[in-house]
Amino acid sequence: MRTSIMAGVAAGTLLAAGAAAPAFAVEDGKADLSVLHGIPGLTVDVYVNGALTLDDFAPGDLAGPLSLDPGTYSVALTASDAADDSAPVLGPIDLPLAEGMSYTAVAHLMANGDPTATLFTNDISETASGEGRLTVRHTAAAPAVDVWADGAVAFSSLENPNEMMADLPAATYEAAVSLAGETDPVLGPADVPVEEGSNTIVYAWGSAADGNLALAVQSVATHTGMPAEVSAGTQGLAADGDAVPVGVIVLGAAALAAAGLATRAVLVRR
Amino acid sequence: MRPLAAVTVALMVAVTAACGATGSPGSAPVQASSAPEASASVIGPVAAPVVDGAVEVSKATVDNLGFAPQPDRLRVERLGVDMEIIDVGIAPDGGMELPESAGVAGWFRLGGNPAGGLREDQNTVIAAHVDDAVMGRGPFAELRDARAGDRIEVSAEDGTTVAYIVDRVEQTSKQEVDFSVVFGAPDRALVLVTCGGKWDADVRHYEDNVLVWAFPEDAR
């Protein structure tokens, strides 16, 4: 019991300093990694540091997030019937993961159609109250594109393998992708929810030449603030009366009896 | 105990809590019982990428984004509590936003959600005013009479319901409540929060928070 009281005192000290501790989106001392498969027509096995980690990983699949120790991981993709990672179809590549960060590793096509892998860092910084984050990533064998939200260009001339992002009022947006400077969608429109305290990430993947462009989406939690207090009463009607000084009781009773609730309501803020 | 008391008194001077900065910071649990137990039965996160089949894989579609339906109804049958829930955030003063009416509960949308979602391990916090000028005492005035074993139901806007079982009730001076644990701990607890204790008429705030700690019924 004494321990818990001390913990409370410590927390109160934080409040006194005016700092409400944030809630971190990544576990203390760890890194988060998601893996997205964005190469059409190729089911693979994923080896991490030589060990089979994802079996029969299919195009459009999203794995994770995995909570990992910080460090550099070697990732190789093989045919799905391979016995080991000695003959990878992609990689091995090194993924350096730093503590407290969120990543998505994407196996995808370059603009010219060759397969590659890109390690994206997901922005998990805190969003403003009422806002969420939208990130768009071009991982398709296609030229530069414009990304539309609710009928207007939100991100223009996005090229493979780049990303753009914005914090928007939390809502569901009708998203579409056109070739840069054009208006006919090559992808979408699709409803994409953007929620407070999260980063919704939209990928264009596949190949324009092969006619298999597609959208993939994921969402990761951002850091958030936490309330420093809960002030949950306005009238004193549910108070413990027994230990209140006599004067307070008399005053309170007099106020209730003489003024009445309706009058008190006028006096009370909110 | 003497050094602790000294620290506490110093703290009282330093803190200006909105819900009553004067008076005793004494912490008096209404009921005491066991410590949180839920985490023991929860499968922990994968510790390394070299794992066998434990990695969650899904199609990267909007339907699988991980957003969960919001809670919209709170029921504690034994206490006669049956109230609407709306979502709330952080108020400009740094405290938790609360519905104006004591008849409506606020769910902290940046924390845990009984239905799951991106923060499925984080505690779910639902709070309401203990009273207001229109209805007088609200349903949460009954919370201090909650006891271990009481059943709490939280329904979501998609019609699903998650049941919790009360573990303990705490009435604690507002200066001593560790809100980083209440809001931030990955214990999958449901914490119902309101005010209680003595009323400080000068600043029009209660001196204590009443917290009901409950854990998912299916985790017991």
Side-chain angles (χ1 to χ4, degrees):
Chain A
M1 202 58 200
R2 189 167 300 178
T3 305
S4 67
I5 290 173
M6 288 303 292
V9 170
T13 306
L14 285 178
L15 298 189
F24 294 109
V26 175
E27 187 184 347
D28 191 29
K30 296 287 190 176
D32 276 0
L33 174 68
S34 300
V35 183
L36 176 67
H37 185 338
I39 300 177
L42 180 71
T43 296
V44 299
D45 288 345
V46 179
Y47 287 80
V48 179
N49 290 353
L52 178 61
T53 301
L54 295 170
D55 196 18
D56 292 340
F57 197 47
D61 279 356
L62 176 70
L66 298 159
S67 184
L68 305 176
D69 292 328
T72 297
Y73 293 83
S74 176
V75 176
L77 276 57
T78 70
S80 57
D81 57 356
D84 56 39
D85 65 344
S86 58
V89 295
L90 186 62
I93 59 166
D94 284 344
L95 304 181
L97 308 184
E99 179 178 345
M101 305 290 281
S102 168
Y103 302 93
T104 302
V106 187
H108 66 98
L109 300 177
M110 293 193 285
N112 66 8
D114 291 339
T116 188
T118 301
L119 181 65
F120 289 98
T121 301
N122 306 320
D123 186 342
I124 54 172
S125 61
E126 192 175 334
T127 59
S129 179
E131 292 190 347
R133 186 163 297 133
L134 177 64
T135 303
V136 293
R137 292 171 176 167
H138 188 329
T139 58
V145 298
D146 292 341
V147 180
W148 300 64
D150 289 350
V153 173
F155 306 99
S156 62
S157 298
L158 177 62
E159 294 183 8
N160 184 322
N162 295 338
E163 67 175 351
M164 295 181 181
M165 72 185 75
D167 285 6
L168 305 170
T172 294
Y173 293 88
E174 186 186 77
V177 177
S178 71
L179 297 181
E182 299 187 7
T183 54
D184 290 339
V186 294
L187 281 171
D191 285 343
V192 175
V194 175
E195 292 203 355
E196 183 175 350
S198 67
N199 182 354
T200 296
I201 306 168
V202 182
Y203 302 82
W205 63 282
S207 165
D210 295 339
N212 56 13
L213 287 177
L215 291 176
V217 288
Q218 73 172 132
S219 184
V220 295
T222 66
H223 304 319
T224 61
M226 281 192 291
E229 63 176 17
V230 181
S231 189
T234 61
Q235 302 299 306
L237 299 175
D240 294 341
D242 52 336
V244 178
V246 172
V248 175
I249 293 176
V250 171
L251 279 176
L256 278 173
L261 275 180
T263 305
R264 289 169 60 81
V266 174
L267 298 174
V268 173
R269 286 185 301 128
R270 293 170 59 88
Chain B
M1 282 305 288
R2 195 167 299 275
L4 172 60
V7 170
T8 307
V9 169
L11 185 70
M12 283 172 50
V13 176
V15 172
T16 319
C19 207
T22 60
S24 164
S27 172
V30 174
Q31 288 181 0
S33 70
S34 62
E37 60 178 43
S39 55
S41 61
V42 175
I43 298 171
V46 177
V50 187
V51 293
D52 298 318
V55 182
E56 188 177 331
V57 177
S58 62
K59 286 294 170 190
T61 63
V62 169
D63 289 341
N64 293 333
L65 272 183
F67 296 133
Q70 295 190 1
D72 68 355
R73 200 82 199 168
L74 174 71
R75 280 181 294 272
V76 189
E77 188 175 350
R78 195 184 69 78
L79 299 178
V81 174
D82 184 352
M83 57 200 298
E84 178 190 358
I85 300 172
I86 63 172
D87 69 295
V88 298
I90 303 175
D93 69 358
M96 182 175 172
E97 277 183 343
L98 286 177
E100 199 155 337
S101 169
V104 178
W107 163 67
F108 184 59
R109 61 175 171 261
L110 295 172
N113 179 336
L118 296 177
R119 296 177 175 86
E120 62 181 356
D121 290 338
Q122 205 169 320
N123 289 348
T124 296
V125 181
I126 297 175
H129 283 305
V130 70
D131 57 18
D132 70 37
V134 175
M135 75 183 303
R137 287 164 55 99
F140 268 37
E142 309 303 323
L143 287 188
R144 62 182 184 175
D145 293 327
R147 58 188 183 222
D150 281 348
R151 194 165 189 272
I152 303 173
E153 291 183 347
V154 181
S155 299
E157 57 193 5
D158 68 346
T160 59
T161 296
V162 178
Y164 292 81
I165 303 298
V166 172
D167 180 76
R168 64 191 187 278
V169 182
E170 296 171 349
Q171 181 172 329
T172 306
S173 164
K174 289 185 175 174
Q175 291 99 315
E176 294 190 0
V177 177
D178 187 347
F179 284 109
S180 67
V181 171
V182 172
F183 288 97
D187 295 333
R188 297 196 181 213
L190 169 67
V191 192
L192 305 181
V193 185
T194 192
C195 275
K198 286 184 276 187
W199 172 252
D200 186 330
D202 292 337
V203 294
R204 303 200 59 79
H205 286 300
Y206 290 89
E207 293 176 356
D208 298 343
N209 276 126
V210 174
L211 302 99
V212 176
W213 291 81
F215 293 91
E217 184 177 54
D218 61 11
R220 292 170 74 90

